[in-house]
């Protein structure tokens, strides 16, 4: 691997980091634009693979996308020759939890300190970036650990994707995002717990105060919590609406963890931007999402990991049984939503399975109803639209230079997205 360009303090710090990892820096070419040559690139907006491509990257932006024959002065550039490969925009995962590891002992990990979780987030941020995911949305972590990780990445202290982080997920007392595994006498309560509309508004404000750039509520029960039923609504309609109004007033995109039908519908009605999991969706819920323009984020790969390895990782039987309850229903809901034309984004719930394996979900999205281009669009232009980012998600002049490469055409074999061989984020090469 080689770091090929750096024009800012942030990039200089990244040079030092990469050297510490045993990577090399070519200082003779720092001032030059970068020319990337490849067999093809995926135009996700037009839904097709374009053969024979040359891309010029200036600083952290794509400045030109053209044919190789149009470049007559290659000596003027730092050349990255990716012949035999297809370029794809850096992909995005809209549902991760960087501060957790799937193979930890489940109950022991409930007692991880915030510093320990932060160390895990730093490690997993790098794994995620190296898998080709240049942007993620972290939907809940203790003690603002992922917000600190994000800030460290932005400062150039550590390596990782671009992060939107919610801080603490907002939950009712005893709800899916509360701490229900501790003994009653410990009076342990998760930091995102709020009861009543004004308390919910206060939690949204508190998360933003400490650096959140997105918001999440837990509208229903969940699989990996104690004492909750996945199909049951927990936050009231009024509480959900309060969270949405406060988040939107402060310019935040807000997600709702929602397995059950009533919680999904209440969240859509309240104006939630994305529904996470979407396990029990009926035809009315899907139509409501389409009419409202709500994005759906369905983590349809991780059930395989949980059912295969959950018991060995110490996941209690009750939680594994809940996973069995939702897994097929969620995939059926995904298939119906795709067929109906709902807006979909890529959301994997990484931490329920190992970080870095995010790309394995692409093939499952195709298996359960999407075309390969729809799966890629979910992880690029759709996710960028959800985050309201107009310069992410495409290989196009004026967009940020987030570019990855695979060996072959992912529109012919979507499983190629599991083995990304080149990663550029913000014009800096992290994997080659």
């Amino acid at each position: 691997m080689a770091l090929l360009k750096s024009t800012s303090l942030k990039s200089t710090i990244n040079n030092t980091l990469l050297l510490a990892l045993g990577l090399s820096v070519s200082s003779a070419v720092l001032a030059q634009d970068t020319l990337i040559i490849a067999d093809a690139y995926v135009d996700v907006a037009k839904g097709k693979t374009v053969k024979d491509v040359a891309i010029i990257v200036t600083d952290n932006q794509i400045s030109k996308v053209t044919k190789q024959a149009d470049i007559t002065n290659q000596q003027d550039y730092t050349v990255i020759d990716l012949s035999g490969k297809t370029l794809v925009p850096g992909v995005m995962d809209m549902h991760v939890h960087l501060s957790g590891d799937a193979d930890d002992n489940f109950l022991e990990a409930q007692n991880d300190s915030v510093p320990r979780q932060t160390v895990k987030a730093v490690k997993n941020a790098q794994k995620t970036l190296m898998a080709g995911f240049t942007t993620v949305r972290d939907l809940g972590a203790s003690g603002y650990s992922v917000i600190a990780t994000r800030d460290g990445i932005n400062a150039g202290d550590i390596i990782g994707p671009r992060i939107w982080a919610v801080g603490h997920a907002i939950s009712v007392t005893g709800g899916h995002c509360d701490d229900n595994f501790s003994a009653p006498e410990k009076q342990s309560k998760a930091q995102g717990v709020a009861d009543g509309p004004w308390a919910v508004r206060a939690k949204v404000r508190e998360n933003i105060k400490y650096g959140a750039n997105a918001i999440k509520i837990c509208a229903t029960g969940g699989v990996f919590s104690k004492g909750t039923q996945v199909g049951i609504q927990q936050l009231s309609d009024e509480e959900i609406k309060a969270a949405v109004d406060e988040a939107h007033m402060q310019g935040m995109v807000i997600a709702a963890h929602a397995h059950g039908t009533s919680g999904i519908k209440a969240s859509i009605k309240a104006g939630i931007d994305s529904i996470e999991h979407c396990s029990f969706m009926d035809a009315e819920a899907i139509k409501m999402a389409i009419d409202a323009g709500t994005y759906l984020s369905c983590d349809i790969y991780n059930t395989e990991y949980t059912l295969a390895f959950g018991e060995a990782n110490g996941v209690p039987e009750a939680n594994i049984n809940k996973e069995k309850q939702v897994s097929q229903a969620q995939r059926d809901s995904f298939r119906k939503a795709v067929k109906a034309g709902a807006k979909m984004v890529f959301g994997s719930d990484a931490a329920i399975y190992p970080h870095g394996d995010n790309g394995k979900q692409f093939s499952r999205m195709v298996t359960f109803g999407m075309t390969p281009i729809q799966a890629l669009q979910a992880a690029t232009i759709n996710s960028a639209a959800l985050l309201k980012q107009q310069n992410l998600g495409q290989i196009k002049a004026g967009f940020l230079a987030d570019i990855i490469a695979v060996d072959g055409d992912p529109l012919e074999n979507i499983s190629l997205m599991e083995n990304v061989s080149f990663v550029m984020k913000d014009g800096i090469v992290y994997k080659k």
Side-chain angles (χ1 to χ4, degrees):
M1 287 186 276
L3 177 64
L4 294 176
K5 84 185 260 79
S6 173
T7 57
S8 66
L9 176 61
K10 171 185 167 185
S11 299
T12 301
I13 296 171
N14 277 338
N15 289 356
T16 305
L17 284 165
L18 292 179
L19 284 169
L21 292 170
L23 310 180
S24 61
V25 180
S26 178
S27 59
V29 298
L30 294 181
Q32 290 182 303
D33 287 352
T34 298
L35 172 65
I36 304 174
I37 294 170
D39 282 11
Y41 80 100
V42 178
D43 185 329
V44 289
K46 294 182 179 178
K48 64 180 183 179
T49 301
V50 180
K51 301 292 186 182
D52 176 27
V53 62
I55 298 171
I56 298 173
V57 174
T58 303
D59 296 329
N60 69 336
Q61 286 193 338
I62 298 169
S63 54
K64 189 173 186 179
V65 179
T66 186
K67 298 289 187 182
Q68 294 177 29
D70 294 335
I71 306 295
T72 58
N73 52 340
Q74 289 193 19
Q75 68 277 5
D76 293 341
Y77 301 95
T78 299
V79 178
I80 302 176
D81 189 344
L82 298 177
S83 297
K85 299 183 185 296
T86 300
L87 306 180
V88 180
V91 284
M92 309 183 202
D93 192 334
M94 294 293 98
H95 192 137
V96 302
H97 298 280
L98 293 172
S99 60
D101 279 324
D103 55 0
D104 282 344
N105 180 276
F106 180 78
L107 292 177
E108 288 181 5
Q110 305 296 320
N111 292 313
D112 278 350
S113 67
V114 171
R116 183 71 185 97
Q117 291 180 58
T118 307
V119 170
K120 289 182 181 181
V122 170
K123 174 196 68 176
N124 292 327
Q126 181 172 331
K127 281 187 175 182
T128 302
L129 178 62
M130 294 305 179
F133 287 80
T134 54
T135 299
V136 299
R137 186 174 55 160
D138 189 284
L139 289 184
S142 299
Y144 306 105
S145 52
V146 174
I147 289 175
T149 303
R150 178 202 67 200
D151 293 348
I153 292 168
N154 292 346
D157 299 332
I158 54 176
I159 292 168
R162 195 175 289 102
I163 296 176
W164 270 258
V166 305
H168 300 118
I170 298 170
S171 168
V172 298
T173 297
H176 172 62
C177 297
D178 194 3
D179 174 16
N180 302 330
F181 286 97
S182 296
E185 59 269 22
K186 292 188 177 180
Q187 292 291 295
S188 178
K189 183 169 71 171
Q191 290 173 281
V193 168
D195 296 303
W198 279 106
V200 167
R201 279 185 178 269
K203 280 297 174 184
V204 172
R205 294 169 182 175
E206 183 178 282
N207 276 321
I208 295 171
K209 174 181 178 179
Y210 294 116
N213 54 351
I215 298 296
K216 176 191 175 184
I217 61 169
C218 294
T220 75
V223 171
F224 285 90
S225 51
K226 182 179 179 181
T228 70
Q229 299 180 50
V230 289
I232 299 300
Q233 183 175 336
Q234 294 181 338
L235 284 165
S236 69
D237 291 11
E238 294 79 9
E239 288 168 326
I240 296 172
K241 188 67 167 65
V244 171
D245 288 350
E246 188 66 38
H248 286 170
M249 184 171 69
Q250 300 209 41
M252 297 286 157
V253 172
I254 180 169
H257 160 105
H259 284 282
T261 310
S262 64
I264 292 170
K265 291 178 180 178
S267 297
I268 295 170
K269 199 180 301 182
I272 284 283
D273 297 301
S274 70
I275 305 292
E276 311 301 310
H277 308 300
C278 316
S279 295
F280 302 107
M281 287 196 298
D282 59 17
E284 182 184 36
I286 294 171
K287 184 178 186 304
M288 287 175 65
I290 293 171
D291 291 345
T294 310
Y295 287 88
L296 305 179
S297 171
C298 304
D299 48 316
I300 56 172
Y301 163 66
N302 61 32
T303 185
E304 298 174 31
Y305 183 88
T306 299
L307 296 182
F309 301 104
E311 183 178 357
N313 293 337
V315 177
E317 183 180 3
N319 299 96
I320 292 176
N321 287 338
K322 285 199 283 186
E323 179 62 48
K324 292 176 181 177
Q325 177 187 349
V326 304
S327 58
Q328 188 57 50
Q330 186 186 50
R331 289 172 164 186
D332 291 342
S333 291
F334 177 85
R335 191 189 296 276
K336 288 185 290 186
V338 171
K339 186 175 181 179
K343 290 182 177 181
M344 312 286 285
V345 294
F346 186 106
S348 69
D349 211 358
I352 302 302
Y353 67 90
H355 295 279
D357 284 351
N358 311 55
K360 290 183 178 180
Q361 180 162 288
F362 282 110
S363 64
R364 278 60 173 188
M365 294 169 83
V366 172
T367 297
F368 292 99
M370 282 188 169
T371 63
I373 189 59
Q374 285 178 318
L376 285 178
Q377 287 170 337
T380 53
I381 54 176
N382 291 5
S383 291
L386 169 61
L387 295 176
K388 305 184 188 305
Q389 300 302 301
Q390 298 179 347
N391 60 352
L392 290 176
Q394 295 187 55
I395 295 177
K396 184 177 180 180
F399 279 60
L400 293 179
D402 288 7
I403 301 169
I404 63 176
V406 294
D407 298 329
D409 187 350
L411 299 191
E412 295 179 359
N413 179 9
I414 194 64
S415 295
L416 294 173
M417 296 301 297
E418 298 173 22
N419 295 290
V420 171
S421 55
F422 172 86
V423 176
M424 171 184 279
K425 175 198 156 202
D426 262 344
I428 299 171
V429 177
Y430 291 94
K431 183 177 184 180
K432 183 173 184 291

